[in-house]
Amino acid sequence: MAASLSTGLDVHFAIPQSDTKRPIFFTRRKFTIYSGLLSKPKSTWVNPTKPKRSVLSLQRQTRSPYAYNPKVRELKLFANKLSDCDNSEEAFLSVLEEIPLEPTRENALLILNSLKPWQKTHLFLNWIKTKNLFPMETIFYNVTMKSLRFGRQFELIEELANEMVSNEIPLDNITYSTIITCAKRCNLFDKAVEWFERMYKTGLMPDEVTYSAVLDVYAKLGKAEEVVSLYERGVASGWKPDPIAFSVLAKMYGEAGDYDGIRYVLQEMTSLGVRPNLVVYNTLLEAMGKAGKPGLARSLFQELLESGLTPNEKTLTSLAKIYGKARWAKDALELWEEMKSKNWPMDFILYNTLLTMCADIGLVEEAEQLFLDMKKSQHCRPDSWSYTAMLKIYGSGGNVGKAMEFFEEMSEVGVELNVMGTTCLIQCLGKAGRMDELVKVFSVSVEHGIKPDDRLCGCLLSVVSRCESRADVDKVLACLHRANPRLVGFLKLIEEEVYCLDTVKEEFKGIISDTKDDARRPFCNCLIDICLSKNLNKRPHDLLYLGTLYGLHPGLYNKTADEWSLDVRSLSVGAAQTALEEWMGTLAKTIKHEEALPLLFSAQTGTGTHKFSQGLSNSFASHLKKLAAPFRQSEEKAGCFVAKREDLVPWLRSRLQT
DNA sequence: ATAGGGTTAG
């Protein structure tokens, strides 16, 4: 959709503009954050006849141009000499004695500007002050503060700022923005806000550079409401935000995964006639990825190309990540072809992201080509990221031989294995039943300092669930015991013949609350599978109940007036089977109590595009067949099994009688 | 890094 603006710009956006909703809070005005500074505090009453006070200066602070210094070469050489000497004050002062030219204002400024690291800049400023050669000005402090910011020396910066105040050297917008961004980089967000508020108190109005620096402070704090309030008041003061301000907003909404927010940013840019630059596009692409909108990211990328911009490494990294996560093989391959044919820039991060993308999608040959390219290149030699991606590709593709080859190669070339690599190897060795090698990889990893995480434990647990012999189980359990003894203890507990549900419940709760969120459901799935493989018939149901109790299976059972359904897409084969039986049991009770039932029942397994759900549909189908349940594979929706009430009820009744 | 603001990896 195109919007022709009065500025003559044609701005194209991938997002339909007409139905853009504002995130809910945009309609609520709050004036509580910088109480008393910007406008009347805590009042939502706006008097339309009284214009609101301006919050920023529309004129950006101008900087005095450099006068050409004919001695620039000589001074630079001397500055380098100072930069290279020892950081001690003595060493510094002794080199200073050899200063080749008179330290006039201009000469001193040039040296100050060229010094690094921050210790030298600071020492030089102090030297100028003690020499008392000329009056100190704001610019000397600004230059020094910038150097100190590099070294993240917020305390020193604040000390200098206070010194400026007591010596009546004016702080300007450059001073404040440097202080604020330094505080931000040091994660001292309260300090950043404090100095921003101090500006207004001293009667200095921020310009757009300081203002967008502060927008970013609130954005990093995740205070979207405050950011929007500041932004909108800036606009109400007549400010036309530039691409940097929009980049800040887009990044904030991306981090929050807030799609409505992203649309708001796009709409604001269109209505204000601001054309996105490459950085804004990159931020928006990243944001679309985080909001889970690969299709919109793709059209945004098309728009970027149509606007005549050339993507850089960051653009392509975002896109590769998005296509990989979405498992969009066709788009991923097209992107790679286009990158090669148009000679778009590549860097190390992009190489590794492309490899990860190939691993997510299972593009083996493409990954091998990329990996070879990296080996041949000068600056992008494969590192532990690259090797991990290769382990993932071979591991998930079941090519154990290749995976082990790369594992050996890593230690030969001295690339450290990480916990993800270990997990990939263990997963594929487990699937191949090569338990002795699995034990070896686990031991080597632990000896190399790898700390097994919850995902690795989940992986070991899933290997246990597939073991065919007691001997294999014991080998894997020995590894798991080193990583998470409590889990092994829990397995013993649920295998005991006499078993107390309350004890199991307490221990389950404890384990789950100590487990990272993304590993909780896999744990529960594996535990159910293990119990099923041991024919511990009631226990899978208890575990499924406990998992549901602690919120691991939200949305498992769904009801509408016309249809009741079961969604097992995030369950393992055994857990799905258990959930089906549980559901049938509940429905049988409903019949017994002669309660109302809908016309249609359905169970969703998904189609197995996600690697956790591979094979789920088939095994679910065969379990239905075994039970002779009247569910049929839906013709219009793959991975969905449906039953009519008229067929299901008699079947459930017949089960009740047996 | 030649006085100030925004973007790349499980």
Side-chain angles (χ1 to χ4, degrees), chain A residues 30 42 95 103 107 110 202 230 319 364 425 496 559 649:
Chain A
K30 275 205 173 175
K42 296 184 178 78
V95 178
N107 289 345
L110 208 149
T202 60
L230 277 169
L319 214 52
V364 183
L425 281 165
E496 273 169 30
K559 282 182 181 178
V649 170

Side-chain angles (χ1 to χ4, degrees), chain A residues 573-609:
Chain A
V573 168
Q577 188 178 315
T578 309
L580 175 70
E581 283 171 8
E582 192 66 43
W583 195 41
M584 292 301 110
T586 314
L587 292 179
K589 275 182 206 153
T590 313
I591 291 176
K592 213 172 169 181
H593 299 148
E594 294 177 353
E595 290 164 29
L597 288 173
L599 284 172
L600 206 61
F601 297 85
S602 69
Q604 251 190 296
T605 61
T607 49
T609 42

Side-chain angles (χ1 to χ4, degrees), chain A residues 442 446 452-453 456-457 460 477-486:
Chain A
F442 183 82
V446 172
D453 61 5
L456 177 51
C457 292
L460 287 167
L477 282 184
C479 296
L480 188 58
H481 193 265
R482 286 171 78 179
N484 191 336
R486 196 173 180 187

